Amino acid sequence: MQRRAFLKLIGSTPLFAYCPQLLATPRKTDWRRTLLLVELTGGNDSLNTVIPYSEKTYYQMRPNLAIPRDQLLPLTEQTALHPALESLLPQWHKNQLAIVQGVGYAQPNLSHFRSLDIWQSGSGSHEYIDDGWVARYFSHLKRPDNLLADGIALGRDYGPLQGKNFQAITLLNAEQFIRQAEHQQRMAATSANPALRHLQQVQQTIQHSALHLQTQLIAKQQVPEFPNTAIGRQFETAARIILSDIRVPVLKLNHGSFDTHVGQLTTHQRLLSQLAEAIAVFINTVQAHNRWDDVLIMTYSEFGRRVAENGNRGTDHGTAASHFLLGGKLPGGIYGHAPSLQQLTEGNLQYHVDFRCVYRSAIDWLNLGSSQPFSAFKPAVPL
Amino acid sequence: MRQTLILTWLLLCFSRALSAMPSEEARHLMARTGFGVNAMQLTQLSKQDYVSTVKQMLASHRQTPVTPAPDWVDRLPPLPAKRKNMSASEKQQLQQWIRNTAQELKGWWFQEMLNTDSPLTERMTLFWHNHFTSSIRKVRWPPFLYQQNLLLRHHALGNFRDLLNNIAKDPAMLIYLDNARNFRNKGNENFARELLELFTLGEGEYTEQDIKEAARAFTGWTLQRKTGKFRFARWQHDYGEKEFLGKRGQFDGDDIIEIILQQPQTAIHITEKLWWEFISATPDETEIKRLAAIFRDNNYEIKPLLRAMFLSKTFRDTGNYATLIKSPVELLVGTLHSLQLTVANNYLLVRAARFMGQDIFNPPTVKGWPGGTTWIDANSLLIRQQILEKLSHTLLTPTMVSQPMLPVDSQFKQLTQQMLLASPPTQPATATTRIEWIQQLLLDPVYQLK
């Protein structure tokens, strides 16, 4: 993807309105942990996911789309979950689910690509940064020799894992990957031709990762049966990697499309239940092997959606949204407050937590080194 | 002295223009503008001069396909009333029909790419498909995507203004970007947004308010279900005054398009994309502006722009060879074309391209396939090698490589390398039989480049 790498800093608008204080964390490096980034592609309708059910306005503005009171899953007196997320309730009760409300950024962009670029690169609304935020973070780090890769994309694209000097592979099917890698030539990445050098680098990454997987990855039969959905398969591969004790700090998964302009209810229900089911099996699997404490799952999406439903029983692009963090060692609960449904900007919610505060929490949790691109942001959740 | 130098320089240019092009340049031209070159073409082109070859190529573009249309292209989708009354099995049958025809459509386009006498036409059609995106996944009616493909081909090397005006009323596009549901009282901004962001000006050249106003201008531009054609629904149109890019008026969609075409940025944006497609992954602002001016000065005629691009210094620079990566479609069609191979079934190509990341008629997002180095990652590289290996086994059947088990001689080595590779292989081939030699060339990383 071609992006112009010039910087236009925004004006005097405060970057964030609310980011809770950082708790001091001991600075030690621990490459045993794995961060799972789950991209909800298309812009998840957060208002129907984490529901402000005590507000009359919610029902007024969504006569067709609001989730009926008798169906939703209340977490507190103000907030409820979409019924399709029932499988996540055990984590809520064990205090392992954190929900951050009102996540967004100043001067929001309502275009899929631009906003996804912003979330993936961890930039401001008017900055153009080519590399993903994970790649940017890793550019400061010295990696240990025993990593299989810096990151693995289990879905279709790299997103935040995209960047120079960030070794990432796509692993849609581990067995196939290993088989095919056997045919590759060995080579150095030395060409002056940038296109050829890119090819050589990819080839090297393949060689290295395939060897690792071949010797270490546990068989499919050694994990429980996962749901036969795209997201289910991705979580299955993630579980196998983690249980094999293979070191990969970051895994990226894709789920979607959440771009529900038309006929939202059934699509949204289906996507959320697929997600929750896959996560539930994943958590049970890693928990049974005592690895759940070393895992953090984080959702993100390019934007939320408008408060009012549109004329096609759907919703259009919006702004602030709630996102989930799940982990064995997590101070669960609800962070931030639900954006007001009355104080809207052109029909959209106002954000309270800059999304980079959530990234900051994930980086703090990974605990790989003190230098990082978001030191100016306070973590949304103290980890 | 100075005059002699100028005269000599002029003579050299003149003779360069008229002299036969080196085979490397012939391969480069065909790989960049088409699907590559086979042995016969390489020999022929190496006798011709570059400039007249380019002119000839542009003059002989097509506006219609050579491949006969599938027989279902005029079928209309069932009307909503009929759809409601369909039984479960009828609905299932319809879904199956949609799946089958989607496959047929993709196979049909591969057939066209393999059979056409104007590969440039197909490359430009692919370019516009990646620009004015629509997908079967969203539109759910292959006949509409077929019609759109014809439209894109018809204007592929024609006039951009005509292309833009027509695509805005194209049924598949009306569905894909929801403008068929853009009404006075229930607006939908999707088309207006992408028109500005992706199709013409590019990000940052307009405001959110411009999008809203443009969307108002396109209200009532809808699809008539009975005919499957564009219809202007007057009663659904917002006739009010709009303010768009600093201009005021009771604009409709045609007016918005005209205002957009008056902005210099439109030509620059399109030229930039063509630069990325045909010339280089490194933008040259001055050159792009120069080419964009040619585009605008020629009233948005596409051929003069392409002529200027293919004759430009950057395009012809030998240092520029092998710096772009072949798309999955180019890799597949190019390999078959160069080695004069056939596959038993075009669906094998459709599937192979999908595995490599290019499911034609189904761009991943409205932005299209990003292309460039994104075609190659750890996953796709392995798939490409695997498919090339499979294809190379078909060399054992009668093809241009006659007697594949024959030992290679230096003439064969030179010809095949010139034909297939854009720069010297990373590892010199060591094979002793013809089929093994070609296999080694195909599996060299340089073969992925053009």
Side-chain angles (χ1 to χ4, degrees):
Chain A
M1 245 179 291
Q2 189 182 29
R3 283 175 255 199
R4 281 163 292 179
F6 61 92
L7 216 69
K8 276 193 252 174
L9 291 174
I10 50 176
S12 55
T13 331
L15 285 175
F16 45 87
Y18 175 63
C19 275
Q21 265 303 69
L22 163 69
L23 284 182
T25 358
R27 290 262 163 265
K28 72 177 201 294
T29 308
D30 185 342
W31 291 81
R32 228 176 113 73
R33 293 182 162 183
T34 309
L35 172 66
L36 268 73
L37 297 172
V38 182
E39 180 186 296
L40 306 178
T41 320
N44 176 40
D45 182 28
S46 162
L47 211 52
N48 265 17
T49 310
V50 179
I51 304 163
Y53 73 105
S54 61
E55 291 229 32
K56 272 208 201 96
T57 322
Y58 169 66
Y59 295 96
Q60 284 165 354
M61 297 189 83
R62 295 185 163 202
N64 290 298
L65 293 191
I67 307 296
R69 278 173 202 272
D70 60 344
Q71 287 176 20
L72 42 79
L73 307 170
L75 300 178
T76 66
E77 278 174 28
Q78 290 87 32
T79 315
L81 285 183
H82 188 291
L85 296 177
E86 194 173 351
S87 315
L88 298 183
L89 284 181
Q91 268 57 51
W92 172 256
H93 295 305
K94 290 186 198 172
N95 223 28
Q96 294 172 344
L97 168 63
I99 299 174
V100 188
Q101 298 188 100
V103 184
Y105 56 93
Q107 285 156 33
N109 192 299
L110 270 54
S111 139
H112 285 297
F113 317 104
R114 186 59 197 123
S115 200
L116 197 56
D117 273 358
I118 289 167
W119 275 79
Q120 284 176 169
S121 61
S123 62
S125 185
H126 300 283
E127 287 180 289
Y128 294 81
I129 300 178
D130 276 339
D131 287 355
W133 69 269
V134 176
R136 289 170 62 204
Y137 171 42
F138 272 62
S139 65
H140 299 290
L141 302 177
K142 186 176 182 312
R143 278 79 126 179
D145 294 324
N146 62 351
L147 291 188
L148 179 141
D150 296 336
I152 300 183
L154 298 172
R156 210 135 273 293
D157 60 69
Y158 294 119
L161 275 51
Q162 177 119 30
K164 310 179 271 291
N165 307 320
F166 188 83
Q167 302 306 323
I169 63 168
T170 316
L171 203 63
L172 298 171
N173 182 316
E175 278 65 36
Q176 213 171 58
F177 181 83
I178 294 168
R179 260 200 318 271
Q180 290 162 353
E182 281 170 356
H183 297 278
Q184 291 288 301
Q185 303 173 356
R186 299 206 156 276
M187 58 176 48
T190 51
S191 176
N193 173 345
L196 185 56
R197 196 168 55 250
H198 173 78
L199 269 148
Q200 290 170 329
Q201 280 165 348
V202 170
Q203 201 131 327
Q204 273 192 325
T205 307
I206 291 173
Q207 293 284 320
H208 176 82
S209 311
L211 188 61
H212 238 241
L213 285 170
Q214 191 167 32
T215 49
Q216 287 187 275
L217 187 69
I218 62 174
K220 251 196 223 191
Q221 295 74 21
Q222 289 179 268
V223 294
E225 204 178 312
F226 276 74
N228 189 19
T229 58
I231 190 68
R233 286 188 282 277
Q234 292 174 66
F235 270 106
E236 179 185 65
T237 310
R240 288 174 68 194
I241 290 169
I242 290 169
L243 263 53
S244 303
D245 223 24
I246 288 175
R247 300 265 187 272
V248 184
V250 186
L251 301 175
K252 181 188 176 263
L253 294 77
N254 274 76
H255 193 41
S257 161
F258 284 87
D259 192 24
T260 47
H261 286 283
V262 179
Q264 173 171 308
L265 285 175
T266 35
T267 309
H268 201 218
Q269 148 88 29
R270 175 174 47 87
L271 290 173
L272 290 180
S273 72
Q274 284 177 351
L275 179 65
E277 279 163 13
I279 290 180
V281 180
F282 172 79
I283 292 177
N284 288 336
T285 309
V286 298
Q287 202 159 35
H289 287 79
N290 297 317
R291 296 305 310 279
W292 181 218
D293 287 357
D294 295 326
V295 178
L296 181 67
I297 300 174
M298 185 181 108
T299 67
Y300 69 94
S301 193
E302 57 258 51
F303 35 64
R305 302 188 83 83
R306 284 169 81 82
V307 178
E309 62 187 44
N310 64 24
N312 293 319
R313 292 180 179 250
T315 48
D316 294 327
H317 301 176
T319 52
S322 302
H323 280 291
F324 298 110
L325 289 166
L326 290 124
K329 274 201 141 102
L330 198 68
I334 297 185
Y335 293 80
H337 54 272
S340 161
L341 296 182
Q342 281 79 31
Q343 282 171 328
L344 303 176
T345 310
E346 295 182 0
N348 281 317
L349 299 171
Q350 291 172 351
Y351 87 105
H352 295 294
V353 179
D354 190 287
F355 71 106
R356 286 161 288 186
C357 294
V358 185
Y359 289 174
R360 172 66 195 266
S361 292
I363 286 176
D364 285 350
W365 178 84
L366 270 176
N367 208 358
L368 299 174
S370 53
S371 181
Q372 46 122 322
F374 306 125
S375 40
F377 295 88
K378 295 183 186 151
V381 176
L383 292 176
Chain B
M1 179 59 186
R2 185 151 174 241
Q3 276 180 322
T4 325
L5 282 173
I6 293 173
L7 206 60
T8 319
W9 176 80
L10 275 171
L11 272 171
L12 278 172
C13 288
F14 191 58
S15 61
R16 185 184 184 204
L18 286 189
S19 63
M21 69 180 117
S23 23
E24 288 77 21
E25 185 156 49
R27 185 215 52 80
H28 173 72
L29 177 63
M30 296 308 284
R32 287 292 178 99
T33 64
F35 298 111
V37 67
N38 61 35
M40 210 169 55
Q41 284 172 330
L42 190 64
T43 316
Q44 177 56 40
L45 286 167
S46 307
K47 296 183 190 142
Q48 295 171 205
D49 79 271
Y50 184 82
V51 175
S52 50
T53 306
V54 167
K55 289 188 174 160
Q56 223 273 314
M57 191 169 48
L58 288 166
S60 62
H61 77 97
R62 301 190 60 88
Q63 281 185 305
T64 54
V66 297
T67 314
D71 57 18
W72 40 259
V73 297
D74 292 319
R75 181 172 171 185
L76 291 171
L79 294 174
K82 180 164 181 214
R83 220 185 260 264
K84 259 198 195 146
N85 293 331
M86 280 168 77
S87 68
S89 84
E90 278 174 335
K91 280 189 185 162
Q92 217 176 21
Q93 268 178 3
L94 184 64
Q95 292 314 311
Q96 190 58 49
W97 186 88
I98 290 174
R99 275 195 293 273
N100 291 345
T101 51
Q103 272 294 89
E104 270 186 59
L105 181 60
K106 296 173 191 179
W108 173 88
W109 199 0
F110 268 102
Q111 189 65 26
E112 181 63 20
M113 289 189 253
L114 289 165
N115 287 354
T116 183
D117 53 359
S118 172
L120 177 60
T121 302
E122 293 317 299
R123 286 291 304 278
M124 285 305 292
T125 311
L126 281 162
F127 174 82
W128 293 121
H129 174 48
N130 198 31
H131 181 75
F132 292 116
T133 48
S134 299
S135 71
I136 295 176
R137 199 183 295 115
K138 168 88 186 265
V139 176
R140 302 199 62 72
W141 197 250
F144 286 159
L145 269 298
Y146 173 81
Q147 302 295 344
Q148 189 188 78
N149 187 273
L150 290 188
L151 178 74
L152 297 176
R153 182 174 293 95
H154 185 87
H155 297 281
L157 283 107
N159 186 292
F160 180 73
R161 173 186 274 105
D162 292 343
L163 177 54
L164 185 57
N165 275 306
N166 277 285
I167 201 71
K169 297 179 169 139
D170 170 73
M173 180 60 75
L174 288 169
I175 298 173
Y176 184 67
L177 288 180
D178 302 315
N179 207 66
R181 298 175 193 259
N182 182 19
F183 302 129
R184 181 167 47 91
N185 290 325
K186 290 180 190 171
N188 188 303
E189 296 170 6
N190 223 1
F191 177 72
R193 177 182 304 282
E194 310 306 355
L195 172 70
L196 293 172
E197 178 177 338
L198 298 175
F199 299 165
T200 57
L201 293 171
E203 263 262 42
E205 302 290 330
Y206 51 86
T207 63
E208 276 296 310
Q209 192 58 25
D210 286 322
I211 294 176
K212 289 188 158 67
E213 298 288 85
R216 288 176 56 208
F218 282 106
T219 47
W221 282 38
T222 187
L223 182 62
Q224 184 175 45
R225 297 276 159 189
K226 249 190 353 220
T227 59
K229 294 206 183 325
F230 169 79
R231 176 172 71 169
F232 176 55
R234 288 192 312 278
W235 56 97
Q236 296 287 12
H237 181 72
D238 175 344
Y239 282 95
E241 191 185 70
K242 295 116 184 151
E243 185 172 340
F244 179 68
L245 294 183
K247 295 196 155 57
R248 264 181 210 255
Q250 289 175 303
F251 301 137
D252 67 5
D254 293 322
D255 298 319
I256 296 294
I257 288 175
E258 211 36 58
I259 295 172
I260 288 172
L261 288 171
Q262 284 163 13
Q263 315 301 313
Q265 183 57 30
T266 302
I268 292 173
H269 186 226
I270 303 296
T271 306
E272 246 170 8
K273 287 190 81 168
L274 285 164
W275 179 278
W276 173 253
E277 172 71 31
F278 289 109
I279 303 188
S280 166
T282 319
D284 178 335
E285 254 196 70
T286 326
E287 262 300 274
I288 288 171
K289 282 208 172 105
R290 176 184 78 83
L291 293 165
I294 293 174
F295 192 28
R296 242 188 2 266
D297 293 343
N298 277 281
N299 197 22
Y300 289 106
E301 286 292 323
I302 294 163
K303 273 194 288 201
L305 172 59
L306 292 181
R307 176 167 44 242
M309 283 175 62
F310 300 153
L311 297 182
S312 72
K313 255 177 76 177
T314 321
F315 184 80
R316 297 188 67 178
D317 182 6
T318 55
N320 186 29
Y321 293 7
T323 57
L324 292 182
I325 293 179
K326 293 175 186 169
S327 71
V329 166
E330 287 162 40
L331 189 69
L332 289 166
V333 176
T335 306
L336 294 182
H337 179 74
S338 292
L339 300 175
Q340 291 172 256
L341 302 174
T342 50
V343 285
N345 193 322
N346 281 347
Y347 301 139
L348 297 172
L349 299 175
V350 170
R351 207 175 58 161
R354 192 176 81 241
F355 286 160
M356 288 192 257
Q358 192 175 17
D359 183 13
I360 52 169
F361 290 110
N362 271 323
T365 65
V366 58
K367 207 176 183 183
W369 293 276
T373 53
T374 67
W375 285 128
I376 306 278
D377 59 40
N379 187 47
S380 64
L381 183 55
L382 290 176
I383 292 170
R384 287 178 168 228
Q385 308 277 32
Q386 201 186 29
I387 287 171
L388 287 172
E389 206 172 359
K390 274 209 187 118
L391 277 177
S392 71
H393 292 312
T394 64
L395 287 166
L396 289 168
T397 56
T399 62
M400 61 78 63
V401 182
S402 56
Q403 299 162 295
M405 301 312 283
L406 257 194
V408 290
D409 57 27
S410 58
Q411 196 196 28
F412 182 82
K413 283 187 191 179
Q414 193 188 43
L415 178 63
T416 49
Q417 234 172 265
Q418 275 174 351
M419 188 177 77
L420 294 173
L421 299 185
S423 71
T426 55
Q427 288 192 343
T430 53
T432 47
T433 65
R434 291 183 170 200
I435 180 171
E436 281 173 348
W437 175 267
I438 292 195
Q439 276 174 343
Q440 279 186 338
L441 293 187
L442 293 182
L443 295 177
D444 193 288
V446 171
Y447 187 66
Q448 305 294 333
L449 308 172
K450 52 176 175 167

